[in-house]
PDB file of all heavy atoms in Angstrom:
ATOM      1  N   ASN A  61     177.881 -25.351  50.448  1.00  0.00           N
ATOM      2  CA  ASN A  61     178.416 -24.977  49.143  1.00  0.00           C
ATOM      3  C   ASN A  61     179.845 -24.491  49.362  1.00  0.00           C
ATOM      4  O   ASN A  61     180.079 -23.538  50.106  1.00  0.00           O
ATOM      5  CB  ASN A  61     177.535 -23.846  48.578  1.00  0.00           C
ATOM      6  CG  ASN A  61     177.573 -23.768  47.082  1.00  0.00           C
ATOM      7  OD1 ASN A  61     178.162 -24.640  46.423  1.00  0.00           O
ATOM      8  ND2 ASN A  61     176.964 -22.726  46.525  1.00  0.00           N
ATOM      9  N   TRP A  62     180.775 -25.154  48.721  1.00  0.00           N
ATOM     10  CA  TRP A  62     182.202 -24.844  48.907  1.00  0.00           C
ATOM     11  C   TRP A  62     182.526 -23.648  48.017  1.00  0.00           C
ATOM     12  O   TRP A  62     182.460 -23.754  46.792  1.00  0.00           O
ATOM     13  CB  TRP A  62     183.016 -26.073  48.504  1.00  0.00           C
ATOM     14  CG  TRP A  62     184.441 -26.067  48.916  1.00  0.00           C
ATOM     15  CD1 TRP A  62     185.131 -25.060  49.547  1.00  0.00           C
ATOM     16  CD2 TRP A  62     185.386 -27.131  48.724  1.00  0.00           C
ATOM     17  NE1 TRP A  62     186.430 -25.435  49.768  1.00  0.00           N
ATOM     18  CE2 TRP A  62     186.610 -26.703  49.269  1.00  0.00           C
ATOM     19  CE3 TRP A  62     185.304 -28.396  48.147  1.00  0.00           C
ATOM     20  CZ2 TRP A  62     187.758 -27.494  49.250  1.00  0.00           C
ATOM     21  CZ3 TRP A  62     186.443 -29.185  48.129  1.00  0.00           C
ATOM     22  CH2 TRP A  62     187.651 -28.749  48.682  1.00  0.00           C
ATOM     23  N   THR A  63     182.887 -22.521  48.605  1.00  0.00           N
ATOM     24  CA  THR A  63     183.038 -21.298  47.800  1.00  0.00           C
ATOM     25  C   THR A  63     184.468 -21.053  47.301  1.00  0.00           C
ATOM     26  O   THR A  63     184.661 -20.224  46.421  1.00  0.00           O
ATOM     27  CB  THR A  63     182.541 -20.052  48.568  1.00  0.00           C
ATOM     28  OG1 THR A  63     183.302 -19.943  49.765  1.00  0.00           O
ATOM     29  CG2 THR A  63     181.067 -20.169  48.905  1.00  0.00           C
ATOM     30  N   GLU A  78     179.282 -22.219  52.522  1.00  0.00           N
ATOM     31  CA  GLU A  78     178.065 -21.442  52.693  1.00  0.00           C
ATOM     32  C   GLU A  78     176.909 -22.417  52.785  1.00  0.00           C
ATOM     33  O   GLU A  78     176.722 -23.234  51.879  1.00  0.00           O
ATOM     34  CB  GLU A  78     177.877 -20.574  51.445  1.00  0.00           C
ATOM     35  CG  GLU A  78     177.612 -19.125  51.735  1.00  0.00           C
ATOM     36  CD  GLU A  78     177.706 -18.324  50.436  1.00  0.00           C
ATOM     37  OE1 GLU A  78     176.940 -18.639  49.505  1.00  0.00           O
ATOM     38  OE2 GLU A  78     178.575 -17.447  50.357  1.00  0.00           O
ATOM     39  N   VAL A  80     173.293 -23.845  52.387  1.00  0.00           N
ATOM     40  CA  VAL A  80     172.073 -23.576  51.616  1.00  0.00           C
ATOM     41  C   VAL A  80     170.991 -24.581  52.016  1.00  0.00           C
ATOM     42  O   VAL A  80     171.274 -25.725  52.325  1.00  0.00           O
ATOM     43  CB  VAL A  80     172.296 -23.599  50.089  1.00  0.00           C
ATOM     44  CG1 VAL A  80     173.094 -22.403  49.631  1.00  0.00           C
ATOM     45  CG2 VAL A  80     172.976 -24.875  49.635  1.00  0.00           C
ATOM     46  N   TYR A  83     166.082 -28.001  52.255  1.00  0.00           N
ATOM     47  CA  TYR A  83     165.367 -28.769  51.248  1.00  0.00           C
ATOM     48  C   TYR A  83     164.467 -29.694  52.056  1.00  0.00           C
ATOM     49  O   TYR A  83     164.968 -30.583  52.752  1.00  0.00           O
ATOM     50  CB  TYR A  83     166.356 -29.534  50.362  1.00  0.00           C
ATOM     51  CG  TYR A  83     167.289 -28.574  49.644  1.00  0.00           C
ATOM     52  CD1 TYR A  83     168.502 -28.190  50.210  1.00  0.00           C
ATOM     53  CD2 TYR A  83     166.900 -27.998  48.439  1.00  0.00           C
ATOM     54  CE1 TYR A  83     169.328 -27.263  49.581  1.00  0.00           C
ATOM     55  CE2 TYR A  83     167.722 -27.066  47.802  1.00  0.00           C
ATOM     56  CZ  TYR A  83     168.926 -26.703  48.377  1.00  0.00           C
ATOM     57  OH  TYR A  83     169.723 -25.780  47.753  1.00  0.00           O
ATOM     58  N   VAL A 119     164.675 -22.210  47.583  1.00  0.00           N
ATOM     59  CA  VAL A 119     165.517 -23.293  47.092  1.00  0.00           C
ATOM     60  C   VAL A 119     164.725 -24.328  46.290  1.00  0.00           C
ATOM     61  O   VAL A 119     163.517 -24.427  46.436  1.00  0.00           O
ATOM     62  CB  VAL A 119     166.216 -23.999  48.272  1.00  0.00           C
ATOM     63  CG1 VAL A 119     167.054 -23.006  49.055  1.00  0.00           C
ATOM     64  CG2 VAL A 119     165.212 -24.699  49.166  1.00  0.00           C
ATOM     65  N   ASP A 123     169.153 -26.884  42.425  1.00  0.00           N
ATOM     66  CA  ASP A 123     170.239 -25.987  42.851  1.00  0.00           C
ATOM     67  C   ASP A 123     171.595 -26.671  42.726  1.00  0.00           C
ATOM     68  O   ASP A 123     171.777 -27.789  43.204  1.00  0.00           O
ATOM     69  CB  ASP A 123     170.052 -25.576  44.328  1.00  0.00           C
ATOM     70  CG  ASP A 123     168.889 -24.633  44.521  1.00  0.00           C
ATOM     71  OD1 ASP A 123     168.378 -24.110  43.506  1.00  0.00           O
ATOM     72  OD2 ASP A 123     168.491 -24.422  45.681  1.00  0.00           O
ATOM     73  N   PRO A 124     172.577 -25.982  42.088  1.00  0.00           N
ATOM     74  CA  PRO A 124     173.910 -26.575  41.981  1.00  0.00           C
ATOM     75  C   PRO A 124     174.711 -26.384  43.265  1.00  0.00           C
ATOM     76  O   PRO A 124     174.658 -25.311  43.871  1.00  0.00           O
ATOM     77  CB  PRO A 124     174.544 -25.785  40.831  1.00  0.00           C
ATOM     78  CG  PRO A 124     173.864 -24.462  40.860  1.00  0.00           C
ATOM     79  CD  PRO A 124     172.485 -24.679  41.418  1.00  0.00           C
ATOM     80  N   ILE A 125     175.403 -27.428  43.668  1.00  0.00           N
ATOM     81  CA  ILE A 125     176.230 -27.363  44.873  1.00  0.00           C
ATOM     82  C   ILE A 125     177.668 -27.714  44.499  1.00  0.00           C
ATOM     83  O   ILE A 125     177.907 -28.714  43.821  1.00  0.00           O
ATOM     84  CB  ILE A 125     175.747 -28.373  45.941  1.00  0.00           C
ATOM     85  CG1 ILE A 125     174.280 -28.157  46.305  1.00  0.00           C
ATOM     86  CG2 ILE A 125     176.624 -28.324  47.188  1.00  0.00           C
ATOM     87  CD1 ILE A 125     173.982 -26.893  47.067  1.00  0.00           C
ATOM     88  N   VAL A 126     178.607 -26.898  44.932  1.00  0.00           N
ATOM     89  CA  VAL A 126     180.023 -27.205  44.743  1.00  0.00           C
ATOM     90  C   VAL A 126     180.462 -27.970  45.986  1.00  0.00           C
ATOM     91  O   VAL A 126     180.304 -27.471  47.109  1.00  0.00           O
ATOM     92  CB  VAL A 126     180.860 -25.925  44.576  1.00  0.00           C
ATOM     93  CG1 VAL A 126     182.329 -26.270  44.366  1.00  0.00           C
ATOM     94  CG2 VAL A 126     180.329 -25.085  43.421  1.00  0.00           C
ATOM     95  N   THR A 164     180.529 -30.165  40.781  1.00  0.00           N
ATOM     96  CA  THR A 164     179.266 -29.441  40.949  1.00  0.00           C
ATOM     97  C   THR A 164     178.143 -30.404  40.597  1.00  0.00           C
ATOM     98  O   THR A 164     178.156 -31.000  39.522  1.00  0.00           O
ATOM     99  CB  THR A 164     179.214 -28.196  40.037  1.00  0.00           C
ATOM    100  OG1 THR A 164     180.357 -27.397  40.331  1.00  0.00           O
ATOM    101  CG2 THR A 164     177.964 -27.390  40.283  1.00  0.00           C
ATOM    102  N   VAL A 167     171.366 -30.672  44.043  1.00  0.00           N
ATOM    103  CA  VAL A 167     170.942 -31.225  45.332  1.00  0.00           C
ATOM    104  C   VAL A 167     170.223 -32.554  45.122  1.00  0.00           C
ATOM    105  O   VAL A 167     170.481 -33.536  45.816  1.00  0.00           O
ATOM    106  CB  VAL A 167     170.020 -30.218  46.066  1.00  0.00           C
ATOM    107  CG1 VAL A 167     169.359 -30.844  47.279  1.00  0.00           C
ATOM    108  CG2 VAL A 167     170.812 -28.985  46.469  1.00  0.00           C
TER     109      VAL A 167
HETATM  110  C1  NAG B   4     176.974 -22.593  45.087  1.00  0.00           C
HETATM  111  O1  NAG B   4     178.119 -21.880  44.655  1.00  0.00           O
HETATM  112  C2  NAG B   4     178.228 -21.746  43.259  1.00  0.00           C
HETATM  113  C3  NAG B   4     179.559 -21.089  42.938  1.00  0.00           C
HETATM  114  O2  NAG B   4     179.954 -20.219  43.920  1.00  0.00           O
HETATM  115  C4  NAG B   4     177.048 -20.936  42.733  1.00  0.00           C
HETATM  116  O3  NAG B   4     177.117 -20.828  41.341  1.00  0.00           O
HETATM  117  C5  NAG B   4     175.758 -21.667  43.125  1.00  0.00           C
HETATM  118  O4  NAG B   4     174.628 -20.907  42.731  1.00  0.00           O
HETATM  119  C6  NAG B   4     175.717 -21.886  44.616  1.00  0.00           C
HETATM  120  N1  NAG B   4     174.562 -22.706  44.943  1.00  0.00           N
HETATM  121  C7  NAG B   4     173.541 -22.297  45.692  1.00  0.00           C
HETATM  122  C8  NAG B   4     172.430 -23.264  45.914  1.00  0.00           C
HETATM  123  O5  NAG B   4     173.503 -21.197  46.190  1.00  0.00           O
END
Side-chain angles (χ1 to χ4, degrees):
N61 205 7
W62 194 356
T63 59
E78 230 169 59
V80 289
Y83 299 90
V119 301
D123 289 348
I125 303 291
V126 181
T164 304
V167 170

